[in-house]
């Protein structure tokens, strides 16, 4: 797996963890801020998975790319994902 693909997998995992955490918050109260957070985290997941499945796609004539990131960025994203998933598990 090359570095760009690994970065996209990392962003997809982070987006899913963020989506789970925000969806759990939305379950407790329907306010505008948690709803916006769910929509934004859904955008992160769609962009990352779209980049994994169709790396050269250009919807609406615009190419959005998640390029390779430095190791420290990936490490922080993995740590953030782990903390979000642990917090979500504790809230359940």
């Amino acid at each position: 797996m090359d570095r760009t693909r690994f970065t996209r997998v990392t962003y997809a995992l982070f987006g899913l963890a963020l989506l789970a955490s925000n969806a759990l918050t939305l379950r407790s109260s329907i306010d505008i801020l948690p709803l916006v957070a769910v929509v934004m985290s859904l955008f992160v997941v769609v962009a990352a998975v779209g980049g994994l499945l169709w790396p050269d796609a250009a919807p609406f004539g615009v190419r959005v790319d998640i390029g390779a990131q430095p190791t420290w960025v990936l490490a922080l994203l993995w740590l953030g994902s782990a903390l979000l998933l642990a917090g979500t598990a504790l809230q359940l």
Side-chain angles (χ1 to χ4, degrees):
M1 179 181 303
D2 65 342
R3 184 105 173 156
T4 301
R5 190 163 178 82
F6 183 67
T7 298
R8 290 176 181 154
V9 168
T10 302
Y11 272 100
L13 176 70
F14 179 75
L16 287 172
L18 192 62
L19 182 64
S21 176
N22 289 332
L24 193 62
T25 302
L26 185 65
R27 185 182 71 168
S28 63
S29 68
I30 304 289
D31 287 334
I32 190 68
L33 190 58
L35 183 64
V36 169
V38 166
V39 170
M40 295 304 288
S41 56
L42 188 63
F43 285 155
V44 171
V45 172
V46 168
V49 171
L52 278 170
L53 298 177
W54 304 285
D56 294 329
F60 307 112
V62 178
R63 185 166 185 246
V64 178
D65 188 24
I66 300 173
Q69 298 294 321
T71 304
W72 66 271
V73 172
L74 297 177
L76 286 177
L77 284 170
W78 280 92
L79 178 65
S81 299
L83 292 174
L84 281 169
L85 289 173
T88 302
L90 288 174
Q91 286 181 13
L92 290 176

